[in-house]
Amino acid sequence: MDKLVLFARKAWFVVRVMSGYEERRIRAYRLQMQQRIERVKGKKEKLQKQPEQIILSEVRQMVQQMEALNQQLEETETAIDEYFKPIDKSAQIIMDMQLEKEETQAKEMAKIMKEQIAMQREIASKRAQATFIRSKDAQQSEKVAECSPKEDAIK
């Protein structure tokens, strides 16, 4: 009986091969396997790209957060500038007043120094004249003294 079943199977296989059924089945199976392989490759590529996409999305998120932070910092900076504007104006006015005081003091000191220099020059010139006059008087008195003994000798 086993031989009969085995013979029937072989005969049935030959009939299928002759009719082309087995070939079509093999092609269909091969096509099905190729499609499965392509799907698996596609999933694999998606999985490989997914970390890149996750990283890119995180980078985009960080960039957006940094831009928001920069904008917030700029707004805060302008608010601080606006808050301190009156104080800055007052400080500028005070600084200008101090500079004007210092300039006037420097001018006054320069004027006083010029006056002192002029007075010192005047005193020095008076001393020089006095010394010159004294030296002239001394020379004249020496001449007079020299002349006196000669006159005494002549007499």
Side-chain angles (χ1 to χ4, degrees):
M1 180 86 162
D2 284 333
K3 285 186 180 183
L4 184 63
V5 172
L6 188 62
F7 178 75
R9 279 188 185 163
K10 285 183 181 179
W12 183 245
F13 179 73
V14 170
V15 169
R16 286 193 321 213
V17 168
M18 297 284 258
S19 69
Y21 173 78
E22 196 64 30
E23 189 178 337
R24 285 191 303 264
R25 191 170 149 229
I26 291 171
R27 283 185 186 165
Y29 183 73
R30 199 168 110 219
L31 180 65
Q32 204 174 32
M33 288 306 223
Q34 277 183 332
Q35 288 174 348
R36 262 182 158 175
I37 290 171
E38 287 177 12
R39 275 186 271 154
V40 169
K41 283 183 181 178
K43 285 182 180 180
K44 186 177 177 182
E45 287 177 7
K46 282 183 182 179
L47 288 175
Q48 286 176 347
K49 287 183 180 180
Q50 197 171 19
E52 291 176 12
Q53 291 173 348
I54 290 171
I55 291 170
L56 287 174
S57 67
E58 287 179 1
V59 168
R60 283 188 199 112
Q61 224 174 15
M62 287 175 60
V63 167
Q64 289 173 349
Q65 288 174 352
M66 289 174 70
E67 287 175 350
L69 182 63
N70 280 342
Q71 185 179 5
Q72 189 177 12
L73 285 173
E74 288 176 4
E75 290 172 359
T76 305
E77 187 177 330
T78 54
I80 290 171
D81 287 343
E82 289 296 321
Y83 181 78
F84 284 114
K85 219 178 223 182
I87 296 171
D88 288 341
K89 285 182 182 179
S90 300
Q92 185 66 31
I93 291 171
I94 292 170
M95 286 175 52
D96 288 342
M97 289 172 55
Q98 287 178 345
L99 284 174
E100 286 177 15
K101 280 184 181 178
E102 288 176 7
E103 286 176 6
T104 54
Q105 286 177 352
K107 286 179 183 177
E108 287 177 16
M109 288 178 68
K111 185 179 176 184
I112 291 171
M113 287 176 67
K114 284 180 183 178
E115 289 175 0
Q116 283 180 349
I117 291 171
M119 288 173 64
Q120 287 176 353
R121 284 184 185 164
E122 192 176 313
I123 292 171
S125 67
K126 285 182 181 179
R127 282 185 184 162
Q129 284 178 354
T131 348
F132 180 69
I133 292 173
R134 281 187 200 145
S135 65
K136 230 180 182 183
D137 285 344
Q139 285 176 357
Q140 283 180 358
S141 53
E142 283 178 15
K143 282 184 183 178
V144 170
E146 284 178 12
C147 289
S148 303
K150 285 182 184 177
E151 288 178 6
D152 290 333
I154 297 179
K155 290 188 185 177

